């Protein structure tokens, strides 16, 4: 019985390798919610403020951080470990300032909540703070095209 088991095991190993080669790699997909949270906290620490928008660009994170009445752009490495801070020429937009004042849920918390909620996966495209009927709402965009909306007031899914 042992001689028939070896070819079956070899066939299984070859099939596994072949299927693995056809599957998309983790690198080709977008960054995860966990990596997004790390980028947000790195950017907030580097700029000394509160993040309100997140995008991916050229394999890095671009995080918009409110620092007083200014908006600061922070570029964060893909793994979220290093940041480069650059100030915008303009002050913080009035709509962004009001939305941030109304939001008690942070961007990092909204990304965590949305990542746990999104059944399509946790690959993040971006996030932003919106105001709808006077209410602050975080909109978290995922690679699968499904946005998850998180209340800025209490962290509930909307």
């Amino acid at each position: 019985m042992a001689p028939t088991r070896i070819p079956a095991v070899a066939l299984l190993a070859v099939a596994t390798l072949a299927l693995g080669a056809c599957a998309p790699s983790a690198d080709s997909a977008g960054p995860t919610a966990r990596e997004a949270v790390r980028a947000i906290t790195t950017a907030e620490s580097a700029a000394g403020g509160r993040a309100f928008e997140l995008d991916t660009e050229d394999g890095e994170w671009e995080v918009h951080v409110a620092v007083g009445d200014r908006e600061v752009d922070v570029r964060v490495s893909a793994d979220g470990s290093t940041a480069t801070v650059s100030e915008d020429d303009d002050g913080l937009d009035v709509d962004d300032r009001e939305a941030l004042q109304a939001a008690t849920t942070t961007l990092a918390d909204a990304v965590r909540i949305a990542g746990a909620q999104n059944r399509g996966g946790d690959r993040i495209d971006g996030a932003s703070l919106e105001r709808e009927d006077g209410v602050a709402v975080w909109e978290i965009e995922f690679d699968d095209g499904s946005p998850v909306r998180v209340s800025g007031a209490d962290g509930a899914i909307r």
Side-chain angles (χ1 to χ4, degrees), residues 18-79:
L19 288 175
C22 296
S25 71
D27 294 339
S28 67
T32 66
R34 179 178 294 179
E35 292 164 337
V37 168
R38 185 171 184 201
I40 292 164
T41 56
T42 298
E44 287 177 332
S45 177
R50 186 170 175 201
F52 64 94
E53 189 173 333
L54 173 74
D55 290 304
T56 55
E57 188 174 303
D58 299 330
E60 292 184 318
W61 296 101
E62 183 178 342
V63 184
H64 298 262
V65 180
V67 180
D69 62 350
R70 299 177 299 130
E71 177 180 341
V72 176
D73 286 339
V74 182
R75 302 281 295 186
V76 181
S77 62
D79 68 356

Side-chain angles (χ1 to χ4, degrees), residues 3-18:
T4 58
R5 207 179 288 168
I6 292 173
V9 171
L11 181 59
L12 180 61
V14 168
T16 301
L17 289 173

Side-chain angles (χ1 to χ4, degrees), residues 14-155:
V14 168
T16 301
L17 289 173
L19 288 175
C22 296
S25 71
D27 294 339
S28 67
T32 66
R34 179 178 294 179
E35 292 164 337
V37 168
R38 185 171 184 201
I40 292 164
T41 56
T42 298
E44 287 177 332
S45 177
R50 186 170 175 201
F52 64 94
E53 189 173 333
L54 173 74
D55 290 304
T56 55
E57 188 174 303
D58 299 330
E60 292 184 318
W61 296 101
E62 183 178 342
V63 184
H64 298 262
V65 180
V67 180
D69 62 350
R70 299 177 299 130
E71 177 180 341
V72 176
D73 286 339
V74 182
R75 302 281 295 186
V76 181
S77 62
D79 68 356
S81 64
T82 59
T84 305
V85 177
S86 65
E87 279 188 47
D88 272 352
D89 294 334
D90 299 327
L92 184 62
D93 182 85
V94 173
D95 291 336
D96 291 332
R97 183 181 305 120
E98 289 175 357
L100 272 170
Q101 288 172 345
T104 56
T105 303
T106 66
L107 176 55
D109 286 339
V111 168
R112 282 186 198 98
I113 293 164
Q117 175 68 27
N118 186 31
R119 299 201 193 290
D122 67 347
R123 300 292 180 182
I124 299 284
D125 256 350
S128 61
L129 183 59
E130 313 284 328
R131 280 185 59 92
E132 294 177 356
D133 301 323
V135 178
V137 177
W138 295 104
E139 184 170 289
I140 316 302
E141 294 284 338
F142 289 87
D143 276 355
D144 66 0
S146 62
V148 174
R149 302 174 68 70
V150 178
S151 168
D154 61 9

